[in-house]
Amino acid sequence: MRVNPDGGIMRATLLDHDDTTTTETSGLPGEPVTADEWAAHLASAIPGPQTAAMLALLEREQLSTTGRIDALKAWERHTAWIQAQQVRLLADIEAEALEATPNAIGWVDYDWNFACEDVACALRLSGNTAADRLAVATALEERFPTTVSLLERGEICYLQAKAVTEVTGTLDPEAAGVVEALVAPKMPAQSVGQTRRALNRAVLKADPQGAEVRHRRRREDRTIWHRATEDGMATWTAFLPTPQAAQLDAAVDAHAATFADDGRTLNQKRVDALYDLVVNRPAGTDIPAGGAAPGGRSAAVVQVTVSLETLIGADEEPAQLKGYGPISAGQAREVAFAPGTLWRRLITHPATGLLVKTDPATYRPTAETERHVIARDMTCTFPSCQMPAHRCDLDHIEPFNHENPTAGGATEPDNLMPLCRRHHLLKHRTRWQAERNSDTGEVRWRAPTGHTYTNPPRTPTT
């Protein structure tokens, strides 16, 4: 490609699919010439390998304001095309994993589809995110060919395609197909929110008698989750039936109304009221029929790993709040010096920050060894997993020798790592392999595909 000094494109050469012939454009009448004209052309063109190669023509400095909007649309269409290719690959990976399940050799006590782990490690995603993308891709490939076609043509975005699978997740294939047929023609002109509303209306049309059945199925997905955000804050979320959500809102509002007018906003009072109701359980609050409210603080355990220097104020190094991540030194001291706080001393290496401890070689770790490994690693040591270590199994990296415990596989922290039950089984019943560097705390995993992934050590400052 060559560009005139004034921004006009003199000639662009593109290879055909078979790479044997070329097509040249040289400013002939009716063909795009300037960067703006190419942006307008690509904004409405069906995306594919050839048009993707032409995106390099959309140089920012040569575009007008109008051209930049068209270029943005062109890139978005090609993003959708790329995501459609990923959908097909993900569906193939999931299908191949299901065909290769080792249940045939007798392991029937677990879900043996570990495609999620391959995808999570390869794309640096959490296990839940990888599982979600696999599920969406499989549903799209198997049930919604029209939606995949729209995505591949760049006429809708991935979030719209994902909405189709989510809203119809509890429908049988026939009803889901009816919903797609009702909504698909309108989707190219809709936003994601409009598509969701249209899908919900179409579900009621396609299966008007199944609302209660769908609700019962969806109730099984109720859960609570959280994620750390910036500046020592977190988002705490519950997915639950609407009536329960309404009751929670009413209870929080009623308790917030009892607070003094002390300058807090209504939202601040509502958050404080929720915390008070759950953690402190104040006596005298209304309790549903059949419940009991003894009052007093609930027996909750919050674990913070922090250096002694930070505790005494000699430095301001961050601490680690189990399940959330780094917190400031001030927040750590607030937790540490709260009434009823219990301290346990753990020794860390001054250079690496890793916990240092040894214990006897017995198959089951002592309570002290278990506390040590949990505090050291904090989560499951599989790269994509964030399961808190206290909910994991402690796995021997070198197998414990039951016949001669002194021959190897000692039950000591350097030979132990927390693995959630899923990844514990993955390590022992598949060809995934793991080894831990006792000097750095790094755990290196090797997948059956030959790819390797590293799980770095967790310290109070990471």
Side-chain angles (χ1 to χ4, degrees):
M1 175 187 72
R2 291 184 295 148
V3 183
N4 279 331
D6 63 358
I9 295 170
M10 295 175 63
R11 184 174 68 182
T13 302
L14 301 173
L15 290 177
D16 288 338
H17 285 293
D18 59 5
D19 292 345
T20 58
T21 61
T22 62
T23 301
E24 294 188 354
T25 63
S26 52
L28 297 177
E31 291 186 350
V33 176
T34 66
D36 276 7
E37 289 173 350
W38 275 107
H41 171 70
L42 293 174
S44 59
I46 296 175
Q50 287 187 321
T51 56
M54 298 163 72
L55 291 171
L57 302 174
L58 308 182
E59 297 181 17
R60 294 161 51 194
E61 296 79 5
Q62 299 174 7
L63 293 167
S64 67
T65 301
T66 300
R68 290 190 180 103
I69 295 297
D70 285 333
L72 189 65
K73 292 167 64 178
W75 281 105
E76 186 70 10
R77 287 179 72 92
H78 284 80
T79 297
W81 171 71
I82 290 171
Q83 289 174 320
Q85 312 315 308
Q86 286 189 318
V87 162
R88 298 192 190 283
L89 282 172
L90 287 165
D92 290 343
I93 291 169
E94 177 81 349
E96 185 178 28
L98 290 173
E99 291 174 1
T101 176
N103 279 356
I105 63 173
W107 301 117
V108 294
D109 58 342
Y110 205 76
D111 173 10
W112 274 99
N113 178 2
F114 289 111
C116 173
E117 277 64 31
D118 281 309
V119 171
C121 290
L123 301 185
R124 296 184 179 89
L125 303 174
S126 71
N128 287 338
T129 301
D132 177 69
R133 288 190 55 177
L134 283 164
V136 170
T138 299
L140 286 171
E141 186 79 354
E142 292 180 352
R143 303 174 70 175
F144 304 108
T146 302
T147 300
V148 175
S149 178
L150 289 172
L151 182 65
E152 192 165 31
R153 291 170 60 88
E155 296 184 33
I156 63 172
C157 69
Y158 176 76
L159 291 179
Q160 287 175 285
K162 184 182 179 187
V164 172
T165 68
E166 290 176 338
V167 176
T168 63
T170 54
L171 297 179
D172 61 61
E174 183 178 354
V178 172
V179 170
E180 183 189 41
L182 289 171
V183 176
K186 308 171 186 175
M187 287 170 60
Q190 293 176 329
S191 66
V192 177
Q194 290 170 330
T195 295
R196 281 193 171 273
R197 290 191 290 273
L199 286 165
N200 282 313
R201 289 192 296 269
V203 166
L204 292 175
K205 289 181 180 180
D207 186 20
Q209 307 303 320
E212 184 58 34
V213 174
R214 293 194 300 274
H215 174 64
R216 287 198 299 269
R217 290 177 182 170
R218 193 69 80 180
R219 278 179 60 93
E220 297 175 1
D221 297 330
R222 60 190 185 277
T223 186
I224 290 175
W225 69 92
H226 65 260
R227 66 179 181 87
T229 59
E230 295 74 28
D231 302 320
M233 303 298 285
T235 299
W236 192 83
T237 307
F239 180 73
L240 70 169
T242 303
Q244 290 183 358
Q247 288 178 307
L248 277 176
D249 276 336
V252 167
D253 287 344
H255 192 49
T258 67
F259 292 167
D261 188 6
D262 52 9
R264 285 179 289 180
T265 66
L266 177 59
N267 278 334
Q268 290 169 344
K269 287 183 177 181
R270 295 183 81 245
V271 172
D272 296 344
L274 175 63
Y275 175 84
D276 197 35
L277 288 170
V278 174
V279 177
N280 295 326
R281 297 187 297 175
T285 52
D286 293 335
I287 298 297
R297 194 175 183 86
S298 60
V301 177
V302 176
Q303 178 177 304
V304 176
T305 305
V306 58
S307 71
L308 179 61
E309 289 79 4
T310 298
L311 279 179
I312 64 177
D315 64 35
E316 294 296 312
E317 290 296 315
Q320 190 80 12
L321 177 62
K322 184 174 73 174
Y324 285 86
I327 59 174
S328 69
Q331 288 178 299
R333 287 191 285 267
E334 182 180 343
V335 174
F337 294 107
T341 296
L342 175 66
W343 291 15
R344 288 196 178 98
R345 183 180 65 181
L346 297 170
I347 302 173
T348 61
H349 192 284
T352 66
L354 298 176
L355 291 169
V356 179
K357 183 69 180 175
T358 56
D359 274 303
T362 56
Y363 178 64
R364 292 191 177 278
T366 64
E368 189 174 357
T369 299
E370 184 175 351
R371 285 195 297 268
H372 172 86
V373 175
I374 290 172
R376 179 195 70 196
D377 293 325
M378 303 182 194
T379 65
C380 171
T381 52
F382 190 81
S384 65
C385 189
Q386 293 297 313
M387 178 69 74
H390 69 276
R391 299 181 187 172
C392 296
D393 303 329
L394 294 192
D395 177 61
H396 287 77
I397 301 168
E398 180 185 348
F400 183 80
N401 190 326
H402 290 273
E403 300 297 326
N404 183 7
T406 62
T411 307
E412 58 187 7
D414 279 349
N415 193 44
L416 292 172
M417 62 180 178
L419 292 175
C420 70
R421 181 56 53 88
R422 176 180 177 85
H423 295 130
H424 193 173
L425 292 176
L426 172 140
K427 177 176 175 286
H428 287 281
R429 297 183 181 177
T430 74
R431 292 185 293 117
W432 280 84
Q433 299 174 345
E435 58 183 21
R436 182 178 184 274
N437 186 317
S438 59
D439 294 327
T440 65
E442 181 180 275
V443 180
R444 185 179 178 87
W445 288 81
R446 183 179 179 85
T449 60
H451 297 91
T452 57
Y453 306 101
T454 299
N455 193 54
R458 300 289 295 272
T459 69
T461 57
T462 59

